[in-house]
C-alpha cells in the first residue's frame, strides 16, 4: 500500500488512464497489507486464486502486468529490493491454469439497417440531450474512439489540411504526449466544419463519453439489436476505408493502428466482400439459347 501511494504521488497513476487506475486500486485492496519483502510466488498464487473467481485470463494477465510495472518502478526509480520476477512468473503461469491471456478480436460491425433504426429511435426522442445521430455519424466516418471524439476541440482543427489533432491518442506505451494529426475524410470533415461554426474553438462534441455510451447501449437494447457497442462504429469506419480502396498507410494514419496484426479482422471482412462480388459476377443467369440461323 505504501508503494502504491508513492506511485500515485509521483503522478504515475494519472498518466495511465482509467483502466490502470482501477486496477491499481484493486491491487491496493487485495495486496495492500503484504510486506514488499514477502511478495512472492505464494502470495501471488493466493491472489490469482481469489481473483480467478470473478476475472478471466485476459484480465488477470493485465493485473499482473500492471503489478510488474509497479515493481519495476520500485526497483529502478525508488531503488527498493523487490522481487520483480515474481509478477512475470505469475503471469507466465496463467497458461498452466488453463487460462487464455489473449482477448478475442471482435469483428462485429453495424449494418446500414441497424444504423438507420438507431437514428430514427433517437430522432423520435426530442428531449434527448446528446445529439446521438451526429455523434454516431462522426464515429462511423472518422474511425475515432469515443473518448477521442469527446476530447476534440475547434482549436485542434487544422483547416488548411482538413485535419485535426487527436491529443494523447491511445498507444501501448506512450499515451501521454502522443498527439497525432489525423486527416478528416468525407463526412467527417463536413461534420467538423458544421461543429466549428457552432462551437468555435470549444469542444466539438461537448457530451460526456460515459453518457453517450449509455445512450447507445440503451437504444440498441430497446431495439433488440444484439451485441453492438459504440466501439464497433470504429470497426465499421475502418472497414469502409478499405472498401473504398485506401492504402494501408493512409488507413493507418486515420485509425492510429501500428501493428499489422490489428488489420487482420478488417482485411478479412473486405476479402469476404471481394469473394461475394466475384461469385456474383462469375455466375450470371443462364442466357436463353440463340435462335437457329435461317436456312
Amino acid at each position: 500500500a505504501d508503494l502504491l501511494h508513492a506511485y500515485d504521488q509521483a503522478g504515475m497513476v494519472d498518466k495511465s488512464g482509467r483502466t490502470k487506475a482501477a486496477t491499481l486500486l484493486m491491487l491496493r485492496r487485495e495486496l495492500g497489507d503484504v510486506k514488499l519483502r514477502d511478495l512472492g510466488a505464494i502470495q501471488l498464487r493466493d491472489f490469482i486464486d481469489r481473483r480467478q473467481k470473478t476475472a478471466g485470463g485476459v484480465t488477470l494477465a493485465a493485473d499482473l502486468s500492471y503489478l510488474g510495472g509497479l515493481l519495476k518502478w520500485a526497483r529502478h526509480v525508488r531503488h527498493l529490493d523487490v522481487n520483480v520476477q515474481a509478477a512475470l512468473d505469475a503471469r507466465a503461469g496463467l497458461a498452466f491454469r488453463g487460462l487464455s491471456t489473449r482477448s478475442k478480436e471482435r469483428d462485429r460491425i453495424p449494418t446500414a439497417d441497424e444504423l438507420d433504426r438507431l437514428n430514427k429511435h433517437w430522432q423520435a426522442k426530442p428531449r434527448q440531450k446528446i445529439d446521438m445521430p451526429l455523434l454516431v455519424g462522426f464515429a462511423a466516418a472518422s474511425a475515432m474512439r469515443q473518448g477521442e471524439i469527446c476530447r476534440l476541440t475547434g482549436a485542434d482543427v487544422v483547416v488548411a489540411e482538413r485535419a485535426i489533432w487527436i491529443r494523447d491518442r491511445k498507444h501501448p506505451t506512450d499515451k501521454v504526449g502522443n498527439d497525432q494529426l489525423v486527416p478528416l475524410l468525407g463526412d467527417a470533415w463536413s461534420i467538423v466544419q458544421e461543429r466549428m461554426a457552432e462551437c468555435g474553438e470549444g469542444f466539438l462534441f461537448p457530451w460526456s463519453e460515459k453518457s453517450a455510451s449509455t445512450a447507445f447501449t440503451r437504444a440498441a437494447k430497446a431495439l433488440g439489436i444484439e451485441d453492438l457497442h459504440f466501439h464497433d462504429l470504429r470497426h465499421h469506419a475502418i472497414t469502409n476505408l478499405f472498401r473504398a480502396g485506401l492504402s494501408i498507410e493512409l488507413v493507418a494514419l486515420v485509425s492510429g493502428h501500428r501493428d499489422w496484426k490489428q488489420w487482420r479482422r478488417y482485411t478479412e471482412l473486405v476479402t469476404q466482400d471481394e469473394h461475394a462480388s466475384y461469385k456474383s459476377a462469375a455466375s450470371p443467369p443462364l442466357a436463353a439459347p440463340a435462335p437457329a440461323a435461317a436456312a
Side-chain angles (χ1 to χ4, degrees), residues 138-193:
F138 183 74
S142 68
M144 291 184 195
R145 300 174 180 88
Q146 189 172 358
E148 295 170 348
I149 294 172
C150 292
R151 292 198 307 269
L152 297 175
T153 70
D156 294 325
V157 179
V158 182
V159 176
E161 299 185 35
R162 294 190 177 186
I164 193 167
W165 284 102
I166 298 179
R167 308 294 179 183
D168 296 331
R169 197 167 205 189
K170 184 177 180 180
H171 186 276
T173 58
D174 301 318
K175 176 181 176 181
V176 177
N178 181 39
D179 299 342
Q180 293 183 359
L181 183 63
V182 177
L184 294 167
L185 307 177
D187 290 343
W189 174 242
S190 300
I191 292 172
V192 163
Q193 283 184 301

Side-chain angles (χ1 to χ4, degrees), residues 42-139:
I42 301 302
Q43 288 73 24
L44 293 184
R45 177 203 64 191
D46 295 343
F47 163 73
I48 295 172
D49 286 344
R50 296 192 303 271
R51 187 78 168 128
Q52 193 175 347
K53 295 176 182 178
T54 57
V58 175
T59 302
L60 273 163
D63 293 345
L64 293 167
S65 292
Y66 291 141
L67 177 61
L70 172 69
L71 295 177
K72 288 178 182 178
W73 181 83
R75 175 179 286 276
H76 298 296
V77 177
R78 305 303 299 169
H79 305 294
L80 299 176
D81 185 15
V82 295
N83 185 3
V84 175
Q85 192 63 34
L88 300 177
D89 289 343
R91 191 182 191 284
L94 295 177
F96 295 96
R97 289 175 174 254
L99 295 172
S100 172
T101 58
R102 292 190 176 185
S103 59
K104 183 179 179 181
E105 289 185 344
R106 286 180 61 82
D107 57 7
R108 175 75 158 95
I109 59 175
T111 65
D113 177 66
E114 287 172 336
L115 292 176
D116 183 58
R117 290 169 59 200
L118 284 167
N119 284 333
K120 288 179 178 177
H121 174 82
W122 289 313
Q123 289 165 358
K125 292 181 174 293
R127 298 180 64 182
Q128 173 83 36
K129 294 182 179 180
I130 303 174
D131 190 340
M132 290 300 296
L134 176 73
L135 199 61
V136 166
F138 183 74

